[in-house]
Amino acid sequence: MSEEIHLPTVLIADDEPNLRFLLSDMLARAGFAVLTAEDGIALIRVAQEQLPDLILIDLMLPGIDGYEAIRQLRNDTRTAHLPIIIVTARTNPTDVVIGFDTGADDYITKPFNDAELIARIRSLLRRTTQRSVRNPLTGLPGNLLISEEIRYRLQRGEAFTLLYIDLNDFKAFNDAYGFARGDQAIRLVAEICEQTQNHFAEHSTFLGHIGGDDFVMLCPSEIAAELACWIVHQYEQVCGALYDEADRARGYLIGHDRASNLAHIPIGAIAIGGVSSTPTATVDELSRAAAMMKHTAKTFGGSAIVIDGARLR
């Protein structure tokens, strides 16, 4: 089976239908996937929902103009990292300066040369990928965006809980089944966490992938316990499919624990450690405290949840 080829996606925001069509056709022929928006409100919505690789923005957009759209995109941790090129008929240097001040990465004036625009897009994408902000396996926000989101919520004075999610004895699982099956397990955790976000959609949650089998979720403190329990329950319902039938029937793997001792490794155990924010907390303090809670949860052997020092499961 051939692997799916990922085409870099460009979001075009312009209120002129003919220009959107011409740009879409040109980019498609150059090997890009294309999304379009006809006004500033649609631009922000599509960018948040689809997360393109790059955005082309006309400054003269109805509803919300290009300047304000860029400001809002840069103030949202979901879209703050996206590279943005202004495509504008305005040639006044002041307009360009304002565009850069609001967060644009590059600009090109109308009418533009097709080859030059394609070259600028490819150059900006190359520079952006050199400083990757998303985990390549799951596509979820990585450490940089996680830290930015924690810092953003602290600055706003939000009462939130940082949940640190980790599979127990993942090394033993990898040793038994190989890294390809390990990647399946990691993707499964990512899918369950994304389902959790949908289940608690009325609340402001954030999901990030630190690396390996380590994930982070931020959520309002009042739902942290319920959300963590939901993740554990969902994982335990489906994780058996990751294991061979003989191991499922036995209820454990035979492998080496972290101390290199031969041991019975429980099947389908996941640990979640959590810590609540405080007005004076820093990103580093919260991350270290959540790691300690997670470590405590892992000492119980099976699935466990420990938030602010209290075991909830």
Side-chain angles (χ1 to χ4, degrees):
M1 181 183 295
S2 61
E3 294 186 0
E4 182 180 353
I5 298 174
H6 170 72
L7 297 178
T9 301
V10 176
L11 170 56
I12 301 166
D14 200 293
D15 62 335
E16 297 180 26
N18 290 337
L19 184 57
R20 288 201 306 273
F21 174 80
L22 292 173
L23 280 170
S24 298
D25 181 65
M26 176 188 70
L27 292 171
R29 286 187 284 108
F32 296 95
V34 178
L35 300 168
T36 61
E38 61 185 17
D39 57 49
I41 295 174
L43 159 64
I44 293 170
R45 175 180 53 80
V46 174
Q48 292 171 340
E49 294 176 355
Q50 302 295 324
L51 290 178
D53 296 292
L54 182 141
I55 304 175
L56 297 179
I57 296 182
D58 178 26
L59 292 178
M60 301 289 288
L61 291 174
I64 297 176
D65 66 19
Y67 297 125
E68 180 59 25
I70 294 172
R71 288 191 190 96
Q72 291 193 26
L73 291 169
R74 289 300 184 228
N75 287 331
D76 188 326
T77 54
R78 292 168 293 181
T79 56
H81 65 287
L82 298 178
I84 296 173
I85 298 179
I86 294 172
V87 181
T88 180
R90 296 181 177 182
T91 56
N92 188 322
T94 302
D95 294 323
V96 175
V97 170
I98 294 173
F100 280 121
D101 284 345
T102 55
D105 298 288
D106 198 359
Y107 83 100
I108 192 166
T109 57
K110 303 175 184 176
F112 49 81
N113 177 274
D114 292 3
E116 180 184 358
L117 178 56
I118 293 296
R120 285 176 180 267
I121 290 172
R122 287 177 173 157
S123 175
L124 185 52
L125 285 173
R126 280 196 300 271
R127 296 201 304 270
T128 302
T129 54
Q130 288 173 356
R131 188 169 176 258
S132 177
V133 292
R134 290 189 168 269
N135 185 278
L137 179 61
T138 61
L140 293 173
N143 292 343
L144 177 64
L145 292 182
I146 293 170
S147 295
E148 287 180 354
E149 179 68 18
I150 296 172
R151 189 174 295 108
Y152 174 71
R153 295 193 180 210
L154 287 171
Q155 289 173 349
R156 287 173 58 91
E158 295 184 18
F160 68 92
T161 296
L162 166 59
L163 298 174
Y164 195 153
I165 304 155
D166 186 19
L167 295 178
N168 285 4
D169 298 298
F170 184 64
K171 181 180 183 302
F173 181 91
N174 262 348
D175 288 344
Y177 294 126
F179 68 87
R181 187 89 65 94
D183 285 351
Q184 290 180 28
I186 292 170
R187 291 192 188 98
L188 177 62
V189 176
E191 291 170 4
I192 289 171
C193 289
E194 288 173 332
Q195 292 167 8
T196 303
Q197 283 190 298
N198 293 332
H199 185 74
F200 292 87
E202 69 273 22
H203 300 281
S204 175
T205 63
F206 174 88
L207 171 61
H209 187 179
I210 298 172
D213 60 322
D214 294 343
F215 293 82
V216 159
M217 285 198 74
L218 308 180
C219 66
S221 294
E222 64 267 21
I223 67 164
E226 181 185 1
L227 186 147
C229 289
W230 203 86
I231 291 174
V232 172
H233 176 74
Q234 296 301 315
Y235 179 75
E236 291 181 338
Q237 292 297 304
V238 299
C239 68
L242 296 168
Y243 294 82
D244 288 349
E245 184 176 352
D247 293 327
R248 286 199 304 271
R250 188 170 52 232
Y252 58 84
L253 290 174
I254 298 176
H256 291 89
D257 59 20
R258 290 185 176 274
S260 297
N261 299 315
L262 196 63
H264 292 174
I265 309 297
I267 281 180
I270 187 169
I272 300 180
V275 61
S276 300
S277 64
T278 64
T280 59
T282 65
V283 175
D284 183 59
E285 289 169 348
L286 285 180
S287 62
R288 283 189 286 112
M292 291 176 61
M293 294 299 102
K294 182 206 69 172
H295 177 74
T296 300
K298 291 175 77 72
T299 63
F300 293 106
S303 294
I305 301 168
V306 177
I307 299 178
D308 294 329
R311 184 180 181 184
L312 306 179
R313 188 184 189 282

